[in-house]
Amino acid sequence: MSELTPGGNLPLPDGTLTIRVPGPFDVSALITDDTGKVRGDTDFVFYNQPTAPGARLAGETLTVDPPALRAGATRLTVAISPADPDTPLGHLPAPTLLVTGAAGRTIVRFTPPRPQRETVLLLAELYRKGAGWKVRALGQGYADGLAGVARDFGVDVLEEETPTAAPLKGRGELRDEPPPARTLTTPPAPTPNGFLGLVNSTRTATGSPTVSLNPRLTAAAQAHATAMAAQGRLASEGTDGLSVYQRLTAGGYAYLTIGEHLVSGPRTPAEFVDYCLSDQQARQTLCAPTYSEAGLGHATDPRSGTVFWTALWAHPFSPGGLRQTATDVIALTNAERAGAGLPPLSPDPLLTNAAQAHSADMVARAFYAHTSPDGGEPWHRAAAAGSTRRSIGENIACGQRSAAEVVRGWMNSPGHRANILKPGFTHIGIGFVGGGSAGTYWTQLFGG
């Protein structure tokens, strides 16, 4: 695997390429000729238009077959923007672009200098060179959103207000006749009648804050309910192999906490809520104070008439929330060390970066292991992040919904407990990412 710096380039192998940017980002791509301009708005691949000849977007993953791009295309530029459009990139974890070849081996990794107030980053471009294709690392930022990038590549975008900010480091192109206009807004999904009022009245009675309906949560819930109805059974995955969490992150929703109800039988939202309240564990999820947003979907199996329901409960990702989650894990870890008469571990930003990257990698490449698919080990990741600590240890976990739950699980496992209570460790970094088949992926990286 090659680690690129801005301006660096590398030849690409033949065959289909997979491009991933793990984290709370929306990925998009612009297909151009040598002038750097699109031919029409169909050359803009983003969450509202996820396919074009030779390119397909699914969440944070862009699949590209360069020879299959439309006639005349010589360049594909990959851009990212925050999944939450109100959050500057500088407030999010540093993005990392991973390019994987047809054989499944990661070819290129690129982490640009950390953005500041930019809202869109051009990460890399694939470009034709002779009979083959190469990739070039960019790291160019814009301050006026995805619409600004689209306009500079020749896409005419309809907006409610005209942005006034100029590109920070982006390219500006002269345009001739603009292609047909296209909006970047996603219309809200319809919501089942009465659900929100029933839920919030129950939550208020238990002292929990109310939740609001989120269209991306609702869309993922509806997709999963439809998948279950197609199978005629309750299932955490559809026949397409996607978990409900993967449907959620593929739709661009990043979260810090997640809960779900998968239910069959009730005929109305009121019956669904009544069912959830009749079961202790389901009631705890519905009333959990950690959730602030919800989504509900339902679909009927035409063969049996059974109605399948999916409810999703979440608290969205924020940089402050991620820091607090890491702080909570460290505090609970140090409480266990104090109980054993050991000094506390100090937070280490380099170990934190490596731990966060490993959690993101496990989600992005769908594995769960200390050894990454390309053979990387915890000490390799720590060194790559710049750490010079002589001893390294790692705990990982998946599926736990809180800092308390994950630390309790580690302490109940002899090997993980030994890392937490190892006297030689002095520093720690925490990584957490939501998504994948398990929903949550945690990493503790220790150094001494």
Side-chain angles (χ1 to χ4, degrees):
M1 180 180 70
S2 296
E3 192 88 30
L4 292 183
T5 57
N9 63 80
L10 189 77
L12 291 169
D14 294 335
T16 301
L17 304 167
T18 300
I19 300 171
R20 294 189 178 92
V21 186
F25 308 108
D26 280 336
V27 179
S28 54
L30 296 114
I31 300 163
T32 62
D33 55 23
D34 287 334
T35 69
K37 294 173 58 178
V38 299
R39 179 176 294 177
D41 66 342
T42 56
D43 284 347
F44 187 19
V45 179
F46 66 113
Y47 53 83
N48 264 1
Q49 184 173 269
T51 60
R56 179 178 179 84
L57 178 65
E60 63 190 22
T61 301
L62 177 69
T63 303
V64 181
D65 182 4
L69 295 173
R70 56 97 169 153
T74 59
R75 187 186 304 171
L76 181 145
T77 303
V78 180
I80 62 163
S81 55
D84 178 357
D86 295 326
T87 302
L89 286 170
H91 294 175
L92 298 176
T96 295
L97 177 134
L98 301 167
V99 181
T100 303
R105 183 178 66 87
T106 300
I107 307 163
V108 173
R109 178 187 175 100
F110 172 53
T111 302
R114 191 175 187 88
Q116 298 300 317
R117 61 189 184 91
E118 295 97 325
T119 55
V120 175
L121 200 63
L122 305 184
L123 275 182
E125 62 181 7
L126 278 57
Y127 63 99
R128 183 181 294 163
K129 186 70 172 179
W133 286 75
K134 301 181 75 173
V135 59
R136 178 185 292 117
L138 297 178
Q140 297 174 332
Y142 279 68
D144 55 351
L146 194 58
V149 177
R151 279 191 301 272
D152 276 353
F153 278 75
V155 180
D156 193 18
V157 180
L158 290 179
E159 297 182 295
E160 292 182 0
E161 298 179 356
T162 301
T164 57
L168 291 179
K169 294 176 287 183
R171 67 184 71 197
E173 310 288 356
L174 293 176
R175 298 186 299 278
D176 296 322
E177 295 180 4
R182 178 165 202 88
T183 179
L184 294 178
T185 58
T186 304
T191 56
N193 185 39
F195 170 71
L196 190 62
L198 293 167
V199 166
N200 281 335
S201 63
T202 301
R203 290 176 62 86
T204 300
T206 61
S208 293
T210 59
V211 293
S212 59
L213 287 171
N214 179 281
R216 292 189 177 185
L217 284 170
T218 297
Q222 184 58 53
H224 197 73
T226 300
M228 291 193 297
Q231 297 178 79
R233 62 183 179 88
L234 294 174
S236 59
E237 293 185 352
T239 54
D240 54 7
L242 292 180
S243 72
V244 67
Y245 318 110
Q246 289 167 318
R247 297 184 196 283
L248 186 53
T249 55
Y253 188 94
Y255 56 83
L256 287 170
T257 55
I258 189 72
E260 73 285 333
H261 288 119
L262 308 179
V263 177
S264 64
R267 307 292 301 180
T268 66
E271 290 182 11
F272 170 78
V273 172
D274 285 343
Y275 168 81
C276 293
L277 295 178
S278 69
D279 177 85
Q280 182 178 1
Q281 183 174 352
R283 183 186 183 95
Q284 288 175 349
T285 298
L286 187 147
C287 298
T290 53
Y291 302 132
S292 59
E293 296 181 339
L296 181 69
H298 64 98
T300 302
D301 178 357
R303 296 156 297 191
S304 65
T306 302
V307 182
F308 289 84
W309 299 79
T310 299
L312 292 173
W313 315 86
H315 187 75
F317 174 90
S318 68
L322 179 61
R323 288 192 296 270
Q324 186 60 55
T325 297
T327 297
D328 292 345
V329 172
I330 294 173
L332 291 165
T333 298
N334 281 335
E336 297 292 348
R337 288 177 64 87
L342 296 170
L345 302 172
S346 300
D348 182 310
L350 298 179
L351 295 178
T352 297
N353 290 342
Q356 185 66 26
H358 188 55
S359 288
D361 194 27
M362 288 191 287
V363 171
R365 292 199 276 178
F367 74 98
Y368 176 65
H370 294 289
T371 304
S372 61
D374 53 12
E377 301 287 358
W379 45 91
H380 297 145
R381 294 188 286 272
S387 175
T388 57
R389 302 200 179 277
R390 291 179 294 178
S391 61
I392 295 292
E394 183 179 78
N395 287 343
I396 59 175
C398 64
Q400 293 81 4
R401 304 306 175 87
S402 68
E405 185 179 349
V406 74
V407 173
R408 183 167 60 249
W410 281 326
M411 288 301 294
N412 288 335
S413 167
H416 298 97
R417 179 187 178 94
N419 272 339
I420 289 175
L421 301 182
K422 185 173 180 177
F425 287 146
T426 57
H427 290 77
I428 189 173
I430 304 298
F432 168 84
V433 171
S437 60
T440 60
Y441 288 78
W442 306 77
T443 302
Q444 273 185 322
L445 195 59
F446 304 90

